[in-house]
Amino acid sequence: MLELLKRFYASFGLPRLIILGFFIILNIMAIVLEVNFPELVSASMVRIAMNGVLVLAILPSIACGTGPNFGVSLGILCGLVGGLIAMELRLDGYTNFFMAIVFSMPFAVAVGLGYGWLMNKVKGSEMMFALFIGWSAVSLMKIFWLVAPFDNPEMAWPIGSGVRVTISLVNRELAQLLNQTWSFSVAGITFPTGLILFFLFCCFLVWLFMRSKTGIAMLAAGDNPRFAEAAGINVDRQRIYGTIISTMLGAVGILVYAQSFGFFQLYEGPHFMPMIAVAAILIGGASIKKASIANVIIGVILFQGILVVAMPVFNIFTQDMASMAEISRVIIQNGIILYALTQVVSGRD
Amino acid sequence: MPEQQYLLQMQDVGKSYYGTVVLQDIQLALKPGEIHAVVGENGAGKSTLMNILFGMPVIHATGGYLGKVLIEGNQVDITSPQQAMEAGIGMVHQEFMLLPNYSITENIKLNREILKDNLFSRIFGPKMKSLDFKTMNKDARKALDTLDMDIEEYVKVAGLPVGHMQFTEIAREIDKANLKVMVFDEPTAVLAESEASNLLRAMQKIAGQGIAILFITHRLDEVMEVADTITVLRDGRLVATKPKKETNIVEMAELMVGRKIETITRRKDQLKEGQVVAAIKNLTVRMPGEYVKTLDLEVFKGEILGIGGLAGQGKIGVANGIMGLYPTKGSVEINGKPLQLNNPRESMKRKIAFLSEDRRGVGLLLDSSIELNIVVTAIENQNRFIRRLGPFTQIDNSAIREHALKMIKELDIRCTGPNQLVRRLSGGNQQKVCIARALTLNPEILLVSEPTRGIDVGAKRLVLETLVKLNEETGITIIMTSSELAELRSVCDRIAIVTDGTVAGILKPDDSDADYGLMMAGQKRRKGA
C-alpha cells in the first residue's frame, strides 16, 4: 500500500498534489461558507466543457513531439475568422455554429501546414518558437480585424471599416446554443448536456485517431524520433500532421468557447488563451513529451474547477480578496508550466 | 635511490566505478626521454588510467583511485587538471581543446599570457596590464619550430587542417616551462598517414629534450616505430610491460586480444559457402565517428556473420548503412536484386530487420508499452495488426495482445505484462523486446549491432543463445556487429574485421589471437591462412 502511494506520488508529482489539495480545500470552504453549491457545480461544468476542446487541441502537438502548442492561438484565430464569415452570411443557430467550423477548417489546415513546416525548421526550440509566433499572429491579426471587409452591422464598427472588439452572438441565436441543448436541472444543478456531449465527442474522435495507423506513427515519432525514423516513419510529416490537427482543434475550440461565452473576443482576446489550455493539460498529468485524453479531461476539470470555486469563496472574505481568484489562477497556470519545463531537463536518463 | 631516475611512477593504481573494477594493480614507470606506449582494446582501461593521471573530475566524483602516483620520486595527489598541469603533466587530447576564433599564439598562451606594464597598469594596478604579443609570438614560434611547423603563429585556428590543430595543441603543451610528462591520447586517430608520421617524428624530438612521453594507442605499427617500452592492458589489468627490443608485433597483438570467455554455443555443422544472400559492394556510409569507406562483403544464406573491429573503424556503420539510417552510397544486392539505399522502409520491405547498437536511443520507445514496441514497425510497414474501415484504420488490440503474449513467452521476456513500459525493463529484457520487434517483421536477414552492450553478464549469454537458436531453427541470416571479439568468436561462422572503414579480412572463429590482433591493429593480412 505504501509502495503504491509512493509510486503514485512519483508519477503524479508534488505540484499536482498541491493543486489537487487546493481544489479540495476550496470545495470544503465553499460548503462551509455556504456558497450556493449547486450553482457552483453548474458553473464549473460549463467552464470545464467550454474550455475542454481548447485543452484537447494541445494533445496532438504533444503526441507528435513538438511539445505543448503555445501557438494554438493560430488555430483560435482561424476559428474566429470562420465564425465571422458565418456571421457575415447571417446564418443562425446550429447552421451558424457548424458552418463556422466548416469555414474555419481550410484556414486551419493551411495555417497548420505552414506552422508545422516552420516547426520542423526550429527543432529543439519549438515551444519558444510557438509562443512567439502565436503572439505575433495575434498582433498581426489585429490589423486584419481593423480592415476586415465585413459589413454586417452586428460586427462592424459604427464608423469606418473593420470589426469590433467584442461581437455579441445573441442575435444570431448562437449564444449558449450547445449549453442549452438537452439541458436539464436536477437538485438545482443545471447540466449543459449539449456542451458536455460535444466536448466528449471531440475527445472520442481524437481517441479514435490516436488508435489509427497514422496516430500510432505520430505517437512513435513523438516518443522517439530516431526510433520512428528507423521504423520507416516520416517524422517531419507526422509533426506536421500533429500541428495541423492541433490547429484545427484550436479553431473548433474557440467556437465552442465563444458560443458559451456569448461573444467573439477579437484583438487581445486570443493572446493568453494558449497558456490556459497548456496549463490545464499539464495539471492533468501530461508532460512536455507525453499526454493522453485522460490528462485532458482531468486537467480541465481541476484547473477550471479551481477558477470557478475560488471566486465566490475569496469573495466572501473581503471585497479586495476578489482579485485573489485571478492571482491564484496566474500562479497555478504559470507555476505548472514552469514545473513541466523543469521536468524536461531532469526527466532524461 | 633508483626511484629518482623516474619522472613518473604509478604504483598499484586501481579504480572502480560503483563497485565495478575497471582498473587493477597497474604499475607504470617513465624515465626522462622515454616514449612509453600503452596499448589495449577499447575498454581495456587506457582512458581511465589517463583520467587518473590528469586528475579528471570523473575520477574524484566517483570516489578517487587506489595506489600512488609519484612525480620525480615524490608522491603527488592530483585532484584536478589544473594540479596535473602544475605538476608538469601535459596532455594532447583526442578531441582538440582549442578555441577556433583565436590565433595559434593565443591558443598556445591561453591563460598563461605574458603581460607587460602600461600607463594604466602603473596607476590602477596589475589588473590593467596589457598582453605582450611580441614575446608571446616569439615563444609560440619557438614551440612551433620545435615541431617543424612552418605555419604563421598569428593564423586563426578555425579552418586549419586537423594535423595543424593537433600540432598547435602539442605546441601549447611543450611551451609550458615545467613540462615533464606528456600524454598523447590516441593522437593519430584523426590524422592522415603523412600527418601521423610527422607526429611520430615530433614525439621523438620532444622525447629528445628529456620529456617523458606516454603514448596511448591501439595502432601497433606506430608503437613499434617509436616506443621504447610497451605496456599492454586488457580488461583493466596490466598484462605485460616489455622493452620494444624484446617483443614483436605479433606477440603484442596476442597479448592485447587474449581469449576472454570460452565459446558458449558451438554450432554443429560447418557452414557450406553457399548461396549469397547479400552482396555489398563499394559501400560508403557517412555515419559520424563510424565512417565506412568502399567496403565489400558477401553474406551467405543462413550464416551468422560477425563484424568486428575497434571502435571508430566503421564496423557499426555497415548495418546502419544497409538500413538506410545514414547517408549511404554504393550497392547492396539482396537475393540478387539491388536494394534501394537511404530508405529504411525499402530495407524493411526487402525483409531486413535491424537491432540498433543504440538500444535506448534508436531501438525502443521507452515510454510506450511492450506490446506497442513489438508491433509498431509491423503496423507501419506491413499494415499488420490493424483493421481497415474504408479510409479509416484502427489498431487491432486483440491481435496485438495475442502476438505480444506469444513473443513474451517465446523469448522469455521478464515483465509484469504486455502493458508494462519498456523503460522499466532491465537491459537484457529490453534487448529481447527489440528482438521480438525485429522478428515480428518476419525478416530473412537480421542485422544485430552490439546486442550485449549494457547488459549484465548472465543476460548476455541469454541474448546470444536466443540469436543462435533463431538462426538454427528458422535459418535466418544474422549479421552481428560487436566490439566484443570473444562474443563474435563464440557464435559466428565467419568474422569480418573492419578497419579504417573497410574489411581488413575475414577470419574463422578459431583463428589465432595474433591474427585477430594484427588485423584489428590495421596490419594487412598475409595471403592464405
Side-chain angles (χ1 to χ4, degrees), chain B residues 345-361:
Chain B
R345 281 188 101 89
E346 197 60 31
S347 300
M348 274 178 279
K349 220 176 252 171
R350 298 296 293 276
K351 300 212 160 275
I352 308 172
F354 177 50
L355 297 193
S356 173
E357 68 286 348
D358 187 357
R359 193 168 55 238
R360 295 168 74 83

Side-chain angles (χ1 to χ4, degrees), chain B residues 95-111 113 154-160 165 168-169 172:
Chain B
E95 284 97 36
F96 306 125
M97 307 226 174
L98 296 171
L99 297 173
N101 286 320
Y102 280 32
S103 72
I104 293 181
T105 300
E106 285 165 330
N107 265 293
I108 289 177
K109 285 290 184 186
L110 190 66
N111 218 11
E113 292 87 354
Y154 48 76
V155 174
K156 275 191 181 169
V157 166
L160 285 183
M165 290 210 226
T168 306
E169 196 150 284
R172 183 183 64 204

Side-chain angles (χ1 to χ4, degrees), chain B residues 198-373:
Chain B
N198 275 344
L199 177 74
L200 296 181
R201 252 199 320 272
M203 280 169 67
Q204 280 168 320
K205 219 166 162 185
I206 297 166
Q209 300 178 337
I211 294 166
I213 290 183
L214 202 53
F215 179 28
I216 299 163
T217 185
H218 54 249
R219 293 198 181 168
L220 292 177
D221 46 352
E222 291 172 2
V223 171
M224 295 311 284
E225 200 180 322
V226 297
D228 301 310
T229 321
I230 302 168
T231 292
V232 182
L233 299 185
R234 189 206 308 152
D235 295 338
R237 287 165 182 278
L238 191 143
V239 184
T241 299
K242 293 191 169 188
K244 179 175 74 179
K245 294 183 206 80
E246 291 172 24
T247 182
N248 57 51
I249 198 162
V250 176
E251 189 193 10
M252 282 293 118
E254 265 174 6
L255 288 171
M256 194 168 113
V257 174
R259 191 176 284 251
K260 281 170 275 183
I261 335 168
E262 268 315 298
T263 308
I264 320 174
T265 10
R266 275 312 314 156
R267 293 162 52 78
K268 287 150 271 171
D269 47 347
Q270 277 302 313
L271 190 95
K272 47 261 157 217
E273 300 217 337
Q275 196 190 339
V276 175
V277 70
I280 300 163
K281 287 197 193 81
N282 267 326
L283 188 76
T284 300
V285 183
R286 291 161 53 84
M287 177 173 181
E290 291 278 352
Y291 265 53
V292 179
K293 302 163 194 159
T294 62
L295 173 138
D296 295 324
L297 189 62
E298 283 193 333
V299 187
F300 300 122
K301 195 171 176 61
E303 74 171 336
I304 301 184
L305 173 71
I307 299 181
L310 292 164
Q313 299 290 324
K315 65 173 185 303
I316 304 278
V318 181
N320 280 290
I322 295 174
M323 283 314 285
L325 299 183
Y326 288 93
T328 305
K329 280 189 297 200
S331 88
V332 178
E333 286 185 0
I334 305 295
N335 290 322
K337 286 193 203 109
L339 171 77
Q340 191 194 334
L341 295 173
N342 298 316
N343 185 347
R345 281 188 101 89
E346 197 60 31
S347 300
M348 274 178 279
K349 220 176 252 171
R350 298 296 293 276
K351 300 212 160 275
I352 308 172
F354 177 50
L355 297 193
S356 173
E357 68 286 348
D358 187 357
R359 193 168 55 238
R360 295 168 74 83
V362 179
L364 292 168
L365 295 170
L366 285 174
D367 290 315
S368 298
S369 64
I370 294 174
E371 55 184 8
L372 185 65
N373 268 280

Side-chain angles (χ1 to χ4, degrees), chain B residues 25-82:
Chain B
D25 301 331
I26 304 294
Q27 319 285 345
L28 214 60
L30 268 77
K31 287 183 213 152
E34 177 185 358
I35 298 181
H36 192 124
V38 178
V39 297
E41 272 192 282
N42 306 115
K46 292 174 297 186
S47 307
T48 311
L49 189 65
M50 290 315 114
N51 285 344
I52 290 173
L53 184 59
F54 213 59
M56 293 309 246
V58 58
I59 299 294
H60 298 276
T62 53
Y65 59 93
L66 303 169
K68 286 193 286 186
V69 177
L70 287 78
I71 290 188
E72 291 180 320
N74 304 316
Q75 186 173 348
V76 288
D77 185 26
I78 298 168
T79 51
S80 73
Q82 188 70 35

Side-chain angles (χ1 to χ4, degrees), chain A residues 207-209 211-214 216-217 219-220 223-224 226-227 229-234 238 290 347 349, chain B residues 325 344-345 348 358 360-365 367-368 376-377 379-381 383 393-395 397 423 437:
Chain A
W207 182 78
L208 278 182
F209 171 76
R211 288 164 44 87
S212 71
K213 185 179 164 186
T214 314
I216 296 286
L219 278 180
D223 189 340
N224 185 348
R226 291 174 66 207
F227 173 96
E229 210 75 76
I233 293 167
N234 187 335
Q238 292 304 332
K290 212 163 170 61
D349 50 8
Chain B
L325 299 183
R345 281 188 101 89
M348 274 178 279
D358 187 357
R360 295 168 74 83
V362 179
L364 292 168
L365 295 170
D367 290 315
S368 298
V376 66
T377 24
I379 290 178
E380 189 57 30
N381 293 285
N383 286 325
T393 51
Q394 282 289 288
I395 51 171
N397 268 342
R423 186 185 289 283
R437 182 168 53 78

